[in-house]
Amino acid sequence: MTLPVVFIDGDQGTTGLQIHQRLQGRADLKLVTLPADRRKNPQSRMAAINACDIAILCLPDDAARAAVASIENPAVRVIDASSAHRTDPEWVYGFAQISAAQQKAIATAKRVSNPGCYPTGAVGLLRPLLDAGLVPRDYPVSINAVSGYSGKGRAGVDEFEGPDAAQATPFLIYGLGLAHKHVPEIQQFSGLFERPVFIPAYGSFRQGIVLTIALQLRLLSSGLTGGRLHACLEQHYAGSDFVEVMSMDQSRALSGLDPRTLNGTDKLRLMVFENAAHVMLAAVFDNLGKGAAGAAVQNLDLMIAGA
């Protein structure tokens, strides 16, 4: 049996390094990367991407588009970890847990766009609830999220771990124009009719995300409770290897949410908190795990199995 050839383009960035670590040593594929003196050589990159079975692009958006444009071999399949193609209707969105149909689509796809880190939590929480009709598609959703500084890529790591780390801002809310590039992705794949408000932040920890969405019960169907929302999530993700829904009793026992709880794993943990008037949906996961490299490897495994 011929092993599938997997080429990582951009294996020195935060996501690329993580993917390389996960794939290195696997016996079911042949991993290809370019040596340092050829990484930025257009001819070398073009030759490598056209000689592989599956290319994983860990590049800035424009470079990812250029890499895809350089593909001449129609057999080459692509997983793009950038945001360049996430809302492109010709690409399959790489969040397999949306539905069984999505998993099958990824398995046979030529082009898969890896979800963004923040959208992984937002879509993971919202999509089942909107599909079930428990949260209206026109609900005025507001999302708050805090990520580790590795979410900025190498620039963030240099800022907090380099020679001027003492000057790094310990907590920073950004995206004040309310036009973060992840918003269209969140809206499209959650199923919202209106753009959500998204307020992201970076903290002075390397990796991990906590994302929350507050809901007012008075704006939902009469009699709807946090328990019913929780039951919907629990049913949707039952049996999932990568998404877990914490029980209501376990959630009530928590005194806080640490974004680093699932660091080093490829899992997404969802929670529901409630009082008489409000519900808070929450997600915790590793922005370099389920939020990036872990999702890419999950998609790769589906594509290899579906070949």
Side-chain angles (χ1 to χ4, degrees), residues 118 122 141-147 171-180 182-183 186 196-202 209-213:
Y118 292 126
V141 169
S142 182
I143 303 163
N144 289 268
V146 183
S147 171
F171 182 84
L172 181 71
I173 293 176
Y174 66 104
L176 303 184
L178 304 180
H180 192 282
H182 285 163
V183 172
I186 293 171
V197 175
F198 176 49
I199 305 167
Y202 287 124
I209 285 179
V210 60
L211 179 145
T212 59
I213 302 171

Side-chain angles (χ1 to χ4, degrees), residues 46 63-72:
M46 184 174 179
R65 294 186 186 97
V68 173
S70 75
I71 297 174
E72 298 175 342

Side-chain angles (χ1 to χ4, degrees), residues 3-63:
L3 296 179
V5 177
V6 178
F7 169 52
I8 304 176
D9 193 355
D11 65 307
Q12 295 304 300
T14 52
T15 298
L17 283 169
Q18 291 273 331
I19 294 173
H20 190 276
Q21 290 171 7
R22 284 164 167 77
L23 299 182
Q24 198 170 27
R26 279 184 46 167
D28 61 335
L29 55 84
K30 180 181 179 181
L31 186 61
V32 175
T33 59
L34 292 176
D37 61 344
R38 292 168 54 198
R39 283 182 197 132
K40 295 186 178 180
N41 182 290
Q43 288 75 30
S44 296
R45 292 175 60 211
M46 184 174 179
I49 200 169
N50 279 284
C52 74
D53 295 298
I54 302 177
I56 305 178
L57 308 181
C58 304
L59 304 166
D61 288 4
D62 287 344

